[in-house]
Amino acid sequence: IIALVFKINLRTIGLIMAFGAGVLISALAFDLVEEAVDKSSGHGWAVGGLFAGCLVFFGGNLWIDRLGGGDRKDPDGDQESGSPLAIVLGTVLDGIPESMVIGLTIFEGGAVGAAYLVAVFISNLPESISSTSGLLSAGWKKSRILWMWIAIAVISGLASLAGYGLFQDSSPDTVAFVLTFAAGAILTMLAQTMMPEAYEHSPKYVGVVTTLGFAVAFTIHTLD
């Protein structure tokens, strides 16, 4: 909604994305992977989940790129040449892993902690601002963009519900696998889509702002 109302320049979007990337990296390290290692009976489950999540996202992202959704986070408007369906599918792919962990967190009674929830909220802001700005530049109508985000919110909610319902009787090792699966998928998403866009539009300060985002999320984690 922010990007629908206000026009944000590319440099600012790049910095916002860098901050969000730093936040998510911290959340993955301290709220997902660390929690998974503590839960599992051996590191194999955690490591296996990490690489499984990476490979699944990599494959899904490759397929969506071929459909025309590779520039879904680009704030320049390169989405104009892409497929609307692929852009929506790609955005859903980006959000499902973190949404499932939220559902799993509710079931576990807050095992992952508030820090992860805050990190997801903070990181989703730059992602949505960048995508919305790009879609506007590509000529999408505001109403169309708004309905897209509503649909994605509903799907993400269903993913959270699935995370809550599917793993109620799961062993600690399975929960650990799911946590690191999400971590691997999100980390791959950051490296392939979010961080390159951040660097492209704000190369001078991207490292500093990413570190700032990491520090903010780590501080939230230590206070949780």
Side-chain angles (χ1 to χ4, degrees), residues 2-222:
I2 294 173
L4 290 175
V5 177
F6 303 102
K7 184 172 179 60
I8 305 173
N9 64 59
L10 294 178
R11 183 181 179 185
T12 301
I13 291 174
L15 292 175
I16 294 173
M17 292 182 77
F19 183 85
V23 167
L24 269 182
I25 291 171
S26 176
L28 301 183
F30 299 110
D31 293 298
L32 295 186
V33 176
E34 185 178 46
E35 179 69 26
V37 171
D38 290 342
K39 281 184 170 296
S40 64
S41 57
H43 292 347
W45 285 93
V47 174
L50 197 66
F51 282 102
C54 169
L55 291 174
V56 168
F57 182 89
F58 176 80
N61 192 59
L62 189 64
W63 175 63
I64 287 168
D65 281 354
R66 291 176 178 174
L67 290 178
D71 293 316
R72 58 189 177 274
K73 293 187 190 301
D74 190 282
D76 276 331
D78 288 346
Q79 295 94 333
E80 185 175 8
S81 59
S83 161
L85 177 61
I87 291 170
V88 173
L89 289 175
T91 308
V92 169
L93 176 68
D94 295 341
I96 282 180
E98 58 195 31
S99 298
M100 289 191 69
V101 171
I102 290 174
L104 185 60
T105 299
I106 296 172
F107 168 68
E108 289 287 308
V112 173
Y116 175 77
L117 301 179
V118 173
V120 169
F121 175 77
I122 293 174
S123 65
N124 278 341
L125 286 177
E127 289 186 69
S128 58
I129 288 172
S130 176
S131 296
T132 300
S133 297
L135 292 170
L136 285 172
S137 298
W140 281 41
K141 293 182 179 179
K142 291 183 178 180
S143 58
R144 186 185 188 188
I145 297 172
L146 185 60
W147 278 112
M148 183 196 78
W149 285 117
I150 291 173
I152 290 169
V154 171
I155 294 171
S156 297
L158 292 174
S160 295
L161 185 63
Y164 176 82
L166 292 176
F167 303 107
Q168 291 190 31
D169 300 318
S170 299
S171 67
D173 284 335
T174 301
V175 172
F177 182 89
V178 173
L179 290 175
T180 54
F181 180 94
I186 295 170
L187 186 59
T188 307
M189 179 274 291
L190 287 172
Q192 288 195 224
T193 63
M194 195 167 173
M195 295 176 72
E197 292 292 346
Y199 180 81
E200 179 182 350
H201 298 295
S202 187
K204 191 172 183 180
Y205 299 106
V206 66
V208 174
V209 177
T210 301
T211 303
L212 177 62
F214 184 96
V216 168
F218 177 70
T219 301
I220 295 172
H221 171 78
T222 57

